[in-house]
Amino acid sequence: MAAVSVAALVAHPVMAVAQELPRNIRMVIGSTSTGGDTYQNAALVADALSQHLDINVKVDPVGTSEGLKALGRDKRGTTIMLHHDQVYLSYLYGVPGNEDPFANYSVGPTVAINPGDAFLVPADSPYKTMENVFKAAEAGKQIRVAIQPGGVSEIGFTAMRNAAKTRAPGSEKNFVPVNTGSQADKNQAMWDGLADLINGSIQANEQFTQLSADDAKAMRFIWITARPQTLEQAPEQGMGNTTRDQFMQYASPKTSVTLDGQKDFAFDKEFFLIYNKEMDPAQMAVIDKALAEIYQKGDLEKRQKEAFFIPNNLPQAEAQAHLGEKSKTIGILIEQLKTK
Protein backbone atom coordinates (compact mmCIF):
# COMPACT_ATOMS: atom_id res chain seq x y z
CA MET A 1 0.00 0.00 0.00
CA ALA A 2 2.83 2.37 0.92
CA ALA A 3 4.57 1.69 -2.40
CA VAL A 4 1.35 2.30 -4.29
CA SER A 5 0.77 5.56 -2.42
CA VAL A 6 4.30 6.78 -3.15
CA ALA A 7 3.91 5.88 -6.82
CA ALA A 8 0.61 7.73 -6.96
CA LEU A 9 2.16 10.82 -5.39
CA VAL A 10 5.06 10.71 -7.83
CA ALA A 11 2.77 10.25 -10.85
CA HIS A 12 0.21 12.83 -9.77
CA PRO A 13 2.21 15.98 -10.60
CA VAL A 14 2.86 14.74 -14.15
CA MET A 15 -0.83 13.91 -14.66
CA ALA A 16 -1.86 17.27 -13.25
CA VAL A 17 0.55 19.03 -15.60
CA ALA A 18 -0.47 17.02 -18.65
CA GLN A 19 -4.18 17.74 -18.27
CA GLU A 20 -3.49 21.49 -18.72
CA LEU A 21 -2.48 20.85 -22.34
CA PRO A 22 -4.41 19.25 -25.22
CA ARG A 23 -3.62 15.59 -25.81
CA ASN A 24 -2.58 16.35 -29.39
CA ILE A 25 -0.45 19.36 -30.24
CA ARG A 26 0.63 20.47 -33.71
CA MET A 27 4.10 22.06 -33.66
CA VAL A 28 4.37 24.08 -36.85
CA ILE A 29 7.83 25.18 -37.93
CA GLY A 30 9.08 27.96 -40.18
CA SER A 31 10.52 25.56 -42.74
CA THR A 32 9.01 23.35 -45.42
CA SER A 33 11.97 20.98 -45.34
CA THR A 34 12.43 17.87 -43.22
CA GLY A 35 16.17 17.91 -43.89
CA GLY A 36 17.12 21.22 -42.34
CA ASP A 37 18.17 22.26 -38.85
CA THR A 38 14.74 23.67 -37.91
CA TYR A 39 13.04 20.31 -38.41
CA GLN A 40 15.86 18.46 -36.67
CA ASN A 41 15.62 20.71 -33.62
CA ALA A 42 11.81 20.66 -33.56
CA ALA A 43 11.76 16.87 -33.76
CA LEU A 44 14.02 16.59 -30.70
CA VAL A 45 11.97 19.07 -28.65
CA ALA A 46 8.62 17.60 -29.73
CA ASP A 47 9.74 14.09 -28.83
CA ALA A 48 10.99 15.22 -25.41
CA LEU A 49 7.75 17.07 -24.61
CA SER A 50 5.66 14.12 -25.81
CA GLN A 51 7.45 11.68 -23.55
CA HIS A 52 7.67 13.96 -20.53
CA LEU A 53 4.01 15.07 -20.59
CA ASP A 54 2.54 11.88 -22.08
CA ILE A 55 0.95 13.78 -24.97
CA ASN A 56 1.37 13.70 -28.74
CA VAL A 57 3.35 16.60 -30.22
CA LYS A 58 3.66 16.33 -33.99
CA VAL A 59 6.00 18.50 -36.08
CA ASP A 60 4.46 20.05 -39.20
CA PRO A 61 6.89 21.76 -41.63
CA VAL A 62 4.64 24.38 -43.21
CA GLY A 63 6.94 27.41 -43.51
CA THR A 64 7.07 30.72 -41.69
CA SER A 65 4.03 32.50 -43.14
CA GLU A 66 1.73 29.47 -43.02
CA GLY A 67 2.98 28.58 -39.56
CA LEU A 68 2.19 32.03 -38.19
CA LYS A 69 -1.24 31.97 -39.85
CA ALA A 70 -2.02 28.61 -38.24
CA LEU A 71 -0.79 29.89 -34.89
CA GLY A 72 -2.91 33.02 -35.19
CA ARG A 73 -6.06 30.96 -35.73
CA ASP A 74 -5.61 28.73 -32.69
CA LYS A 75 -5.71 30.09 -29.15
CA ARG A 76 -6.61 26.72 -27.58
CA GLY A 77 -3.01 25.54 -27.33
CA THR A 78 -3.44 22.82 -29.93
CA THR A 79 -1.03 24.66 -32.23
CA ILE A 80 2.35 26.01 -31.14
CA MET A 81 5.34 27.02 -33.23
CA LEU A 82 9.07 26.42 -33.09
CA HIS A 83 11.29 28.66 -35.16
CA HIS A 84 14.40 30.80 -34.96
CA ASP A 85 15.49 34.41 -35.45
CA GLN A 86 13.98 34.48 -38.93
CA VAL A 87 10.55 35.09 -37.41
CA TYR A 88 11.53 38.60 -36.34
CA LEU A 89 14.16 39.15 -39.04
CA SER A 90 11.46 38.74 -41.71
CA TYR A 91 9.48 41.50 -40.02
CA LEU A 92 12.55 43.73 -39.71
CA TYR A 93 13.37 43.16 -43.38
CA GLY A 94 9.80 44.08 -44.32
CA VAL A 95 8.87 40.76 -45.90
CA PRO A 96 5.14 40.96 -46.78
CA GLY A 97 2.85 38.98 -44.50
CA ASN A 98 5.29 38.89 -41.58
CA GLU A 99 4.10 40.76 -38.50
CA ASP A 100 6.06 41.80 -35.45
CA PRO A 101 6.12 38.54 -33.43
CA PHE A 102 6.66 40.40 -30.16
CA ALA A 103 3.47 42.41 -30.67
CA ASN A 104 1.23 39.87 -32.39
CA TYR A 105 2.26 36.59 -30.75
CA SER A 106 3.68 35.45 -27.46
CA VAL A 107 7.35 34.54 -27.69
CA GLY A 108 8.08 31.49 -25.58
CA PRO A 109 11.18 29.81 -24.13
CA THR A 110 14.40 29.29 -26.05
CA VAL A 111 15.54 25.72 -26.60
CA ALA A 112 18.84 25.80 -28.50
CA ILE A 113 21.42 27.67 -30.52
CA ASN A 114 22.61 26.39 -33.85
CA PRO A 115 26.30 27.30 -34.06
CA GLY A 116 26.36 25.77 -37.50
CA ASP A 117 24.64 28.36 -39.68
CA ALA A 118 26.95 28.47 -42.67
CA PHE A 119 27.66 29.33 -46.27
CA LEU A 120 29.00 26.75 -48.70
CA VAL A 121 30.42 26.54 -52.22
CA PRO A 122 30.56 23.65 -54.72
CA ALA A 123 33.53 21.35 -54.15
CA ASP A 124 35.07 22.44 -57.44
CA SER A 125 34.52 26.16 -56.80
CA PRO A 126 37.48 28.46 -57.50
CA TYR A 127 36.64 30.22 -54.23
CA LYS A 128 38.60 28.50 -51.47
CA THR A 129 38.06 31.18 -48.83
CA MET A 130 35.89 34.24 -48.20
CA GLU A 131 38.97 36.31 -49.01
CA ASN A 132 38.86 34.78 -52.52
CA VAL A 133 35.18 35.72 -52.75
CA PHE A 134 35.75 39.34 -51.77
CA LYS A 135 38.74 39.64 -54.10
CA ALA A 136 36.64 38.30 -56.99
CA ALA A 137 33.89 40.82 -56.26
CA GLU A 138 36.48 43.60 -56.17
CA ALA A 139 37.68 42.44 -59.59
CA GLY A 140 34.15 42.77 -60.98
CA LYS A 141 33.07 39.14 -60.75
CA GLN A 142 29.39 38.58 -59.95
CA ILE A 143 28.85 36.45 -56.83
CA ARG A 144 25.46 34.70 -56.75
CA VAL A 145 24.32 33.72 -53.24
CA ALA A 146 21.29 31.49 -52.61
CA ILE A 147 19.33 32.67 -49.58
CA GLN A 148 15.85 32.57 -48.12
CA PRO A 149 14.69 36.22 -48.11
CA GLY A 150 14.05 37.90 -44.78
CA GLY A 151 15.83 35.42 -42.57
CA VAL A 152 19.10 34.35 -41.02
CA SER A 153 20.53 33.61 -44.46
CA GLU A 154 19.72 37.13 -45.67
CA ILE A 155 21.42 38.79 -42.73
CA GLY A 156 24.52 36.74 -43.56
CA PHE A 157 24.25 37.90 -47.19
CA THR A 158 23.73 41.50 -46.06
CA ALA A 159 26.85 41.17 -43.90
CA MET A 160 28.81 39.99 -46.96
CA ARG A 161 27.71 43.06 -48.92
CA ASN A 162 28.57 45.32 -46.02
CA ALA A 163 32.02 43.73 -45.73
CA ALA A 164 32.56 44.17 -49.47
CA LYS A 165 31.50 47.81 -49.26
CA THR A 166 33.80 48.37 -46.29
CA ARG A 167 36.75 46.76 -48.08
CA ALA A 168 36.18 48.22 -51.55
CA PRO A 169 33.21 50.57 -52.02
CA GLY A 170 31.19 49.58 -55.05
CA SER A 171 32.15 45.90 -54.96
CA GLU A 172 29.06 45.12 -52.87
CA LYS A 173 26.98 45.50 -56.05
CA ASN A 174 28.58 42.32 -57.34
CA PHE A 175 26.90 40.24 -54.62
CA VAL A 176 23.59 39.11 -56.10
CA PRO A 177 20.88 37.27 -54.12
CA VAL A 178 19.33 34.12 -55.54
CA ASN A 179 16.08 34.05 -53.59
CA THR A 180 14.92 30.51 -52.82
CA GLY A 181 12.98 28.76 -50.08
CA SER A 182 13.98 25.95 -47.76
CA GLN A 183 17.35 24.21 -47.46
CA ALA A 184 16.47 21.73 -50.18
CA ASP A 185 15.79 24.64 -52.55
CA LYS A 186 19.11 26.30 -51.74
CA ASN A 187 20.97 23.04 -52.27
CA GLN A 188 19.25 22.56 -55.62
CA ALA A 189 20.21 26.10 -56.70
CA MET A 190 23.85 25.10 -56.25
CA TRP A 191 23.46 21.79 -58.05
CA ASP A 192 21.68 23.50 -60.94
CA GLY A 193 24.56 25.95 -61.30
CA LEU A 194 22.42 28.93 -60.34
CA ALA A 195 24.44 29.95 -57.26
CA ASP A 196 28.13 30.34 -56.41
CA LEU A 197 27.46 30.23 -52.66
CA ILE A 198 24.49 28.96 -50.69
CA ASN A 199 23.34 29.38 -47.12
CA GLY A 200 23.22 26.08 -45.27
CA SER A 201 24.05 24.52 -41.93
CA ILE A 202 26.49 22.07 -40.42
CA GLN A 203 23.62 19.72 -39.56
CA ALA A 204 22.06 19.66 -43.02
CA ASN A 205 25.09 20.08 -45.26
CA GLU A 206 28.08 18.38 -43.61
CA GLN A 207 27.14 15.13 -45.35
CA PHE A 208 27.64 16.77 -48.76
CA THR A 209 31.13 17.96 -47.78
CA GLN A 210 32.16 14.32 -47.40
CA LEU A 211 31.37 13.35 -50.99
CA SER A 212 34.22 12.85 -53.41
CA ALA A 213 35.27 16.06 -55.14
CA ASP A 214 34.04 14.84 -58.53
CA ASP A 215 30.51 14.22 -57.20
CA ALA A 216 28.08 16.77 -58.64
CA LYS A 217 26.55 17.29 -55.15
CA ALA A 218 29.83 17.76 -53.29
CA MET A 219 30.20 21.00 -51.30
CA ARG A 220 32.72 22.81 -49.11
CA PHE A 221 32.15 25.09 -46.14
CA ILE A 222 33.45 28.61 -46.63
CA TRP A 223 31.95 30.62 -43.73
CA ILE A 224 30.26 29.80 -40.41
CA THR A 225 28.46 32.83 -38.97
CA ALA A 226 28.31 31.86 -35.28
CA ARG A 227 30.26 33.71 -32.62
CA PRO A 228 33.46 31.76 -31.90
CA GLN A 229 32.59 31.54 -28.18
CA THR A 230 29.34 29.81 -29.12
CA LEU A 231 30.97 27.40 -31.55
CA GLU A 232 33.54 26.50 -28.89
CA GLN A 233 30.71 25.03 -26.78
CA ALA A 234 29.98 22.43 -29.44
CA PRO A 235 31.23 18.84 -28.99
CA GLU A 236 34.94 18.47 -29.70
CA GLN A 237 34.27 15.58 -32.09
CA GLY A 238 32.20 17.92 -34.23
CA MET A 239 29.64 16.35 -36.52
CA GLY A 240 29.92 13.66 -39.12
CA ASN A 241 33.55 13.48 -40.17
CA THR A 242 34.34 17.12 -39.41
CA THR A 243 35.73 18.10 -36.00
CA ARG A 244 34.93 21.25 -34.05
CA ASP A 245 38.47 22.55 -34.67
CA GLN A 246 37.95 22.12 -38.39
CA PHE A 247 34.67 24.03 -38.21
CA MET A 248 36.41 26.79 -36.25
CA GLN A 249 38.56 27.49 -39.32
CA TYR A 250 35.45 28.82 -41.08
CA ALA A 251 34.38 31.13 -38.23
CA SER A 252 35.77 34.40 -36.93
CA PRO A 253 38.62 35.17 -36.46
CA LYS A 254 40.09 32.53 -38.84
CA THR A 255 37.54 33.50 -41.48
CA SER A 256 36.82 37.21 -41.44
CA VAL A 257 33.71 38.94 -42.76
CA THR A 258 34.34 42.39 -41.41
CA LEU A 259 31.65 44.52 -39.82
CA ASP A 260 33.41 47.86 -39.78
CA GLY A 261 37.01 47.21 -40.78
CA GLN A 262 37.97 46.33 -37.21
CA LYS A 263 35.41 43.86 -35.86
CA ASP A 264 33.98 40.78 -37.58
CA PHE A 265 30.30 40.18 -38.13
CA ALA A 266 28.94 37.18 -36.17
CA PHE A 267 25.42 35.94 -35.47
CA ASP A 268 24.03 33.14 -33.29
CA LYS A 269 20.95 31.41 -34.68
CA GLU A 270 18.59 30.79 -31.75
CA PHE A 271 15.55 28.51 -31.66
CA PHE A 272 12.49 29.24 -29.52
CA LEU A 273 8.79 28.51 -29.15
CA ILE A 274 6.03 30.93 -30.15
CA TYR A 275 2.42 30.89 -28.95
CA ASN A 276 -0.89 32.43 -29.92
CA LYS A 277 -1.23 35.75 -28.11
CA GLU A 278 -4.45 34.57 -26.41
CA MET A 279 -3.26 31.09 -25.46
CA ASP A 280 -3.91 30.34 -21.79
CA PRO A 281 -0.86 31.51 -19.79
CA ALA A 282 -1.29 28.41 -17.62
CA GLN A 283 -0.59 26.26 -20.68
CA MET A 284 2.52 28.28 -21.47
CA ALA A 285 3.64 27.82 -17.85
CA VAL A 286 3.19 24.06 -18.21
CA ILE A 287 5.55 23.99 -21.19
CA ASP A 288 8.04 26.24 -19.37
CA LYS A 289 8.05 23.90 -16.38
CA ALA A 290 8.24 20.78 -18.52
CA LEU A 291 11.22 22.09 -20.48
CA ALA A 292 13.04 23.07 -17.29
CA GLU A 293 12.57 19.52 -15.98
CA ILE A 294 13.55 17.98 -19.32
CA TYR A 295 16.78 19.97 -19.52
CA GLN A 296 17.54 19.17 -15.89
CA LYS A 297 17.41 15.46 -16.71
CA GLY A 298 19.95 16.00 -19.48
CA ASP A 299 18.65 13.57 -22.10
CA LEU A 300 17.51 16.28 -24.52
CA GLU A 301 20.75 18.18 -24.01
CA LYS A 302 22.71 15.08 -24.94
CA ARG A 303 20.68 14.53 -28.10
CA GLN A 304 20.97 18.19 -29.09
CA LYS A 305 24.74 18.12 -28.68
CA GLU A 306 24.94 14.96 -30.76
CA ALA A 307 23.10 16.89 -33.49
CA PHE A 308 25.56 19.80 -33.04
CA PHE A 309 23.11 22.13 -31.31
CA ILE A 310 24.00 24.10 -28.18
CA PRO A 311 21.32 23.48 -25.52
CA ASN A 312 19.98 26.84 -24.42
CA ASN A 313 16.79 26.80 -22.35
CA LEU A 314 15.67 30.22 -21.15
CA PRO A 315 12.19 30.35 -19.57
CA GLN A 316 9.60 32.45 -21.33
CA ALA A 317 10.08 35.73 -19.44
CA GLU A 318 13.87 35.64 -19.82
CA ALA A 319 13.59 34.58 -23.46
CA GLN A 320 11.25 37.46 -24.27
CA ALA A 321 13.63 39.99 -22.71
CA HIS A 322 16.71 38.49 -24.40
CA LEU A 323 15.19 38.08 -27.86
CA GLY A 324 13.44 41.45 -27.70
CA GLU A 325 16.74 43.16 -27.01
CA LYS A 326 18.46 41.11 -29.72
CA SER A 327 15.74 42.13 -32.19
CA LYS A 328 16.27 45.82 -31.41
CA THR A 329 20.03 45.51 -31.85
CA ILE A 330 19.71 43.58 -35.09
CA GLY A 331 17.09 46.05 -36.32
CA ILE A 332 19.63 48.84 -36.07
CA LEU A 333 22.20 46.65 -37.82
CA ILE A 334 19.82 45.80 -40.65
CA GLU A 335 19.12 49.45 -41.29
CA GLN A 336 22.86 50.00 -41.61
CA LEU A 337 23.50 46.93 -43.78
CA LYS A 338 20.20 46.51 -45.58
CA THR A 339 20.39 45.32 -49.17
CA LYS A 340 19.50 48.12 -51.53
Side-chain angles (χ1 to χ4, degrees):
M1 287 293 288
V4 171
S5 297
V6 170
L9 286 170
V10 171
H12 179 71
V14 176
M15 293 173 63
V17 165
Q19 70 184 9
E20 298 285 349
L21 289 170
R23 293 290 303 167
N24 296 293
I25 294 179
R26 179 189 183 201
M27 180 184 283
V28 293
I29 63 172
S31 171
T32 56
S33 171
T34 58
D37 58 339
T38 304
Y39 186 88
Q40 291 172 316
N41 207 342
L44 293 174
V45 174
D47 184 58
L49 285 172
S50 295
Q51 293 187 36
H52 189 76
L53 294 173
D54 192 25
I55 59 177
N56 179 36
V57 184
K58 182 180 179 182
V59 179
D60 193 358
V62 297
T64 305
S65 296
E66 289 304 313
L68 289 172
K69 287 178 185 177
L71 193 64
R73 291 191 297 263
D74 187 355
K75 62 182 181 181
R76 301 166 299 165
T78 53
T79 302
I80 62 176
M81 187 172 188
L82 185 145
H83 203 27
H84 50 72
D85 304 87
Q86 181 189 351
V87 77
Y88 66 80
L89 287 173
S90 293
Y91 167 71
L92 294 174
Y93 269 114
V95 176
N98 288 268
E99 303 173 309
D100 180 359
F102 298 98
N104 295 281
Y105 303 92
S106 185
V107 171
T110 62
V111 295
I113 296 172
N114 179 6
D117 188 62
F119 284 83
L120 301 97
V121 295
D124 60 357
S125 170
Y127 307 126
K128 306 301 181 184
T129 65
M130 284 302 297
E131 183 67 19
N132 295 156
V133 172
F134 289 123
K135 287 291 187 183
E138 290 168 20
K141 181 72 174 179
Q142 188 179 81
I143 309 296
R144 302 165 300 166
V145 188
I147 60 170
Q148 185 172 8
V152 174
S153 57
E154 182 162 6
I155 198 168
F157 173 72
T158 303
M160 285 186 204
R161 294 186 78 251
N162 175 73
K165 182 178 181 180
T166 301
R167 291 168 53 108
S171 68
E172 72 276 7
K173 296 177 182 177
N174 292 322
F175 284 82
V176 180
V178 178
N179 294 329
T180 66
S182 66
Q183 189 60 60
D185 296 328
K186 285 178 276 193
N187 292 349
Q188 196 61 51
M190 175 185 285
W191 296 331
D192 289 343
L194 302 177
D196 303 298
L197 281 76
I198 66 168
N199 174 251
S201 71
I202 287 173
Q203 293 86 346
N205 294 83
E206 193 276 342
Q207 59 182 314
F208 298 112
T209 69
Q210 300 305 313
L211 299 175
S212 60
D214 59 353
D215 192 305
K217 292 188 175 183
M219 307 177 182
R220 287 187 287 105
F221 287 107
I222 197 167
W223 181 35
I224 293 175
T225 66
R227 297 181 307 149
Q229 55 266 48
T230 300
L231 193 55
E232 285 168 355
Q233 298 177 54
E236 187 176 356
Q237 69 270 23
M239 185 169 188
N241 292 316
T242 311
T243 66
R244 182 184 64 195
D245 285 346
Q246 288 174 311
F247 286 131
M248 293 289 291
Q249 302 302 307
Y250 305 111
S252 177
K254 296 294 179 64
T255 293
S256 175
V257 174
T258 190
L259 180 64
D260 55 11
Q262 297 181 338
K263 295 185 295 183
D264 287 343
F265 172 88
F267 186 86
D268 283 345
K269 184 177 182 180
E270 298 189 69
F271 289 84
F272 50 93
L273 294 177
I274 310 167
Y275 306 125
N276 181 289
K277 190 78 172 178
E278 298 180 40
M279 181 175 163
D280 187 349
Q283 293 178 321
M284 301 182 198
V286 166
I287 295 176
D288 246 23
K289 183 174 184 292
L291 285 173
E293 293 169 352
I294 287 168
Y295 277 91
Q296 188 173 24
K297 288 181 179 178
D299 292 340
L300 177 57
E301 288 189 59
K302 181 180 178 182
R303 295 182 67 190
Q304 285 179 326
K305 287 180 179 178
E306 288 173 349
F308 213 74
F309 292 115
I310 307 300
N312 181 45
N313 177 226
L314 294 179
Q316 185 172 19
E318 290 182 38
Q320 287 179 346
H322 165 66
L323 293 169
E325 187 61 32
K326 185 179 181 184
S327 175
K328 290 178 184 177
T329 302
I330 293 299
I332 295 171
L333 188 64
I334 286 175
E335 286 305 309
Q336 295 174 343
L337 310 184
K338 188 177 288 184
T339 303
K340 302 296 183 184

